[in-house]
Amino acid sequence: MKLKTEQKVNATIIGTNGRLSTLGAFQVVENALTELTGELKIDGITEKEKYNAIWVFVKTRIKFFSSILWNEKLSVTSFISFKSLAKINFDVEAKNAVGELVFYARVEACALDIATMRIRKLVSVGVDETMQAETPTMDVEFANANYTNFEKKETIRVRSTNIDMSHHTNNLEYIRFILNTYSVSELETKIVKEMEVVYVNQSFENDELDVLKLSEQNKDVIYLQKENKPIIKCEILF
């Protein structure tokens, strides 16, 4: 199943330059996947109430191809691109009004049992044989590389509005923490070509996260850590 929606680039997903922001693209991806899983009856609320499970993102990688302005039309297509015993990939493709690719994303996810926090088999959380994987329209490879020699930028505290309905830090809030390491000028002038986020561990309300950053020629790597244990690993290519 492929779910296609037509929308506009509204004010909640643009940056200071009036164009779809990097954070906004992640918002589009999250909304697309919640709508897709809702259509498939495996959304977060259903998982919690019917299967006593929660979805967690393992990795997300987005490739950016063109910019798009506020109020322009955005066509978003989402679908399952891979599934195994316990892992599922979702792809999200976004195009402008003339069919040009704006971005392409891949999200790797799994389901956790609420009581044990162990990974559940997909068949035990409603993902059945009718939910076939579609052929991806683009090759997306996860890097998941390890780095050292970081510079500590700041320490932030996870607050109540950063928490989602699973009572851990919302995925989008991590993107916000990462992008806050850049100035307004940098966000307006540095063109993000690809961005990968690896969700290593969960964090919760009142946790303190150290933000570490390493900058190379055309790449930045940002880690979020709690008590020296990695929570998030991020790679941004410019």
Side-chain angles (χ1 to χ4, degrees):
M1 173 187 176
K2 287 191 174 184
L3 180 64
K4 185 175 181 179
T5 62
E6 303 291 340
Q7 56 191 269
K8 286 188 176 182
V9 179
N10 62 41
T12 64
I13 58 174
I14 62 171
T16 55
N17 58 3
R19 299 175 180 274
L20 177 68
S21 67
T22 304
L23 176 63
F26 276 87
Q27 288 178 263
V28 171
V29 170
E30 184 170 288
N31 287 336
L33 296 191
T34 55
E35 291 181 22
L36 174 64
T37 54
E39 290 290 326
L40 295 172
K41 308 301 182 187
I42 54 169
D43 55 273
I45 292 176
T46 300
E47 291 298 305
K48 187 174 183 180
E49 294 180 349
K50 188 173 181 179
Y51 302 106
N52 197 41
I54 57 172
W55 285 115
V56 292
F57 287 2
V58 180
K59 305 172 187 175
T60 301
R61 191 172 188 95
I62 300 185
K63 294 185 176 185
F64 294 91
F65 298 92
S66 61
S67 64
I68 187 169
L69 290 166
W70 167 78
N71 213 33
E72 289 189 339
K73 292 181 179 180
L74 188 66
S75 177
V76 180
T77 302
S78 55
F79 55 94
I80 297 171
S81 61
F82 171 83
K83 66 175 185 175
S84 62
L85 189 66
K87 183 178 74 174
I88 189 167
N89 286 357
F90 299 98
D91 284 18
V92 179
E93 181 182 67
K95 295 182 177 181
N96 61 22
V98 296
E100 295 172 334
L101 193 59
V102 176
F103 70 78
Y104 193 99
R106 177 162 296 160
V107 176
E108 179 182 314
C110 66
L112 296 184
D113 186 271
I114 292 176
T116 64
M117 286 292 107
R118 293 180 177 176
I119 296 176
R120 295 270 294 270
K121 293 181 180 179
L122 293 181
V123 293
S124 74
V125 295
V127 182
D128 59 35
E129 65 279 357
T130 67
M131 301 177 192
Q132 295 296 318
E134 305 284 348
T135 302
T137 56
M138 178 166 292
D139 185 33
V140 178
E141 296 291 336
F142 293 110
N144 196 18
N146 292 310
Y147 296 86
T148 56
N149 301 320
F150 288 93
E151 176 188 354
K152 181 178 176 179
K153 305 299 290 187
E154 61 179 326
T155 299
I156 55 179
R157 183 184 294 273
V158 179
R159 308 308 297 266
S160 57
T161 57
N162 304 133
I163 301 299
D164 63 19
M165 68 178 187
S166 298
H167 282 197
H168 59 211
T169 308
N170 186 279
N171 296 324
L172 288 175
E173 297 303 303
Y174 289 126
I175 309 304
R176 193 183 304 276
F177 297 157
I178 290 165
L179 295 175
N180 278 338
T181 65
Y182 299 93
S183 66
V184 171
S185 176
E186 288 174 320
L187 290 176
E188 290 180 343
T189 57
K190 294 174 74 74
I191 306 301
V192 176
K193 294 181 178 178
E194 295 188 48
M195 182 169 176
E196 177 175 300
V197 183
V198 180
Y199 304 91
V200 183
N201 288 298
Q202 300 180 64
S203 66
F204 306 90
E205 183 179 6
N206 291 322
D207 280 350
E208 290 190 345
L209 305 181
D210 291 329
V211 183
L212 312 177
K213 191 172 186 179
L214 169 66
S215 296
E216 297 180 345
Q217 286 185 336
N218 65 338
K219 175 171 64 179
D220 286 350
V221 179
I222 300 99
Y223 277 21
L224 303 183
Q225 294 186 344
K226 179 176 71 173
E227 299 174 350
N228 294 320
K229 295 182 179 179
I231 302 296
I232 296 294
K233 297 179 180 180
C234 174
E235 176 185 82
I236 305 177
L237 303 181
F238 300 99

